[in-house]
Amino acid sequence: MARAGTVAATRMPDTVRPGGTESETHPWKIRLVEHPKRFDSPSFKAAKRTAHKILDALDDGDLPYGPRPGGSEHWEMHHGGSLWVMTERGWRMYRARVGIEWSMQFCAAPPRIDRLRQDAATLVAAFPLTLPALAELGYEEAEELLRTPIRDADGVEAWTDSLFNACVPMSRGHHQGILPKVPGEHHYPWPVKGADFFRFDDFELWVTLPDGTHGAVTPVDRRGSGDGHVRLVHAAEGSRAADALAEAQDRGLMAVMPPNSSAALQAFAGQIEPGRRTAAGALVTRGARANGARPRAR
């Protein structure tokens, strides 16, 4: 990703006109206080132990959000709605409609959390190998969690820190990172962040915009089309790009940047020849660069 100081200025497409800015006249304050001491509950410790056993048994290609952390890094368990089941092909993780962050339990209505429990119970029932496999791993509380209605704060707390919510395994970056390093799920919208786990390796989702802020872009057509335009799908609040993006959405339009924009050149840098001034045209794969093969049309 290019540094802010090296990004050339570009103009927005004619179809997207940046709007004005707004500010509040009422003063406001946020009081900074010490965070209540947080500790891993026995429920969370048991869930994490089980999740690590599952992850150790999985091949790298079956990890939900790989690759496996190496060196001094380790898995962080995200309270993101982890629904682990044992299939005939091994362990798989699905995700609940919503996950319950630890602090969110204090505003959680028990009947609504109970619906998540019912959803999880329905899923696990479709994979009858799951409960015996969890018991074999030492997570014997699974069956009771799934069959016990959630009616109060104690029930919400138990579900929040259970294997069926609290164990989405992610690296620290993917979990809580901030750009210009790895963007984490805690800080960036999941419909955009999620693409990090299925995009082509040679497409850069996150780019530096001309004002030094960061945004996310997507291609506007299929791989192989030759179209180097990019669509802006996320921008930092308060930035010029965010104003343009909001106006485009209000008008039912797309905020699109041209192939010679800095954003497009960053996004397609892995697919074009070094030094090329436009992202439009032929696709150059890494293999083609290495062996001198003729590039194919993008």
Side-chain angles (χ1 to χ4, degrees):
M1 184 177 293
R3 295 181 180 177
T6 65
V7 179
T10 60
R11 60 187 296 271
M12 289 290 179
D14 293 337
T15 55
V16 182
R17 296 191 302 274
T21 59
E22 297 182 1
S23 61
E24 296 288 344
T25 57
H26 300 288
W28 57 275
K29 294 181 180 179
I30 294 178
R31 178 173 294 171
L32 303 181
V33 300
E34 291 186 5
H35 193 290
K37 185 174 179 58
R38 179 178 174 181
F39 59 91
D40 285 355
S41 67
S43 296
F44 190 30
K45 290 179 180 178
K48 287 197 297 182
R49 281 196 302 269
T50 304
H52 280 291
K53 292 176 183 178
I54 292 173
L55 292 167
D56 288 343
L58 287 174
D59 293 333
D60 288 354
D62 292 329
L63 295 170
Y65 299 114
R68 199 180 301 272
S72 61
E73 295 189 353
H74 61 276
W75 290 116
E76 291 192 356
M77 294 300 164
H78 171 39
H79 285 59
S82 50
L83 300 177
W84 287 99
V85 295
M86 172 61 84
T87 74
E88 293 182 354
R89 300 176 61 183
W91 289 104
R92 294 292 183 271
M93 191 200 76
Y94 296 90
R95 291 189 72 166
R97 289 182 295 107
V98 293
I100 313 163
E101 280 295 341
W102 182 83
S103 59
M104 292 297 178
Q105 67 178 292
F106 303 120
C107 67
R112 292 176 176 173
I113 305 306
D114 192 61
R115 184 181 171 191
L116 297 177
R117 176 195 64 82
Q118 294 175 43
D119 291 346
T122 299
L123 178 67
V124 171
F127 295 93
L129 300 176
T130 302
L131 290 178
L134 288 175
E136 187 175 341
L137 293 179
Y139 197 67
E140 298 178 351
E141 53 265 65
E143 184 173 0
E144 183 177 357
L145 281 164
L146 291 170
R147 64 178 170 80
T148 303
I150 297 172
R151 298 192 176 98
D152 53 26
D154 288 341
V156 171
E157 180 180 6
W159 188 262
T160 297
D161 274 349
S162 75
L163 183 70
F164 302 113
N165 178 70
C167 291
V168 176
M170 289 184 163
S171 67
R172 182 174 182 81
H174 285 310
H175 183 199
Q176 52 184 318
I178 297 176
L179 291 168
K181 296 183 178 180
V182 180
E185 182 175 341
H186 267 269
H187 304 293
Y188 299 88
W190 182 243
V192 179
K193 168 59 187 174
D196 268 332
F197 300 107
F198 61 75
R199 62 178 171 81
F200 285 108
D201 289 339
D202 60 5
F203 181 80
E204 184 60 54
L205 177 68
W206 305 94
V207 299
T208 303
L209 299 173
D211 63 358
T213 62
H214 298 94
V217 297
T218 68
V220 298
D221 206 345
R222 294 181 178 183
R223 187 180 180 89
S225 68
D227 193 327
H229 289 82
V230 290
R231 177 182 181 180
L232 183 67
V233 293
H234 174 73
E237 185 175 356
S239 66
R240 181 186 176 196
D243 292 336
L245 181 58
E247 182 174 346
Q249 291 174 337
D250 287 344
R251 296 172 57 190
L253 302 173
M254 297 191 302
V256 174
M257 290 175 279
N260 63 348
S261 65
S262 60
L265 291 172
Q266 291 172 68
F268 288 114
Q271 301 180 15
I272 61 178
E273 292 284 2
R276 203 160 85 185
R277 296 186 177 183
T278 178
L283 167 68
V284 179
T285 63
R286 288 190 177 91
R289 288 181 184 173
N291 59 26
R294 177 179 297 179
R296 58 188 177 86
R298 175 162 57 75

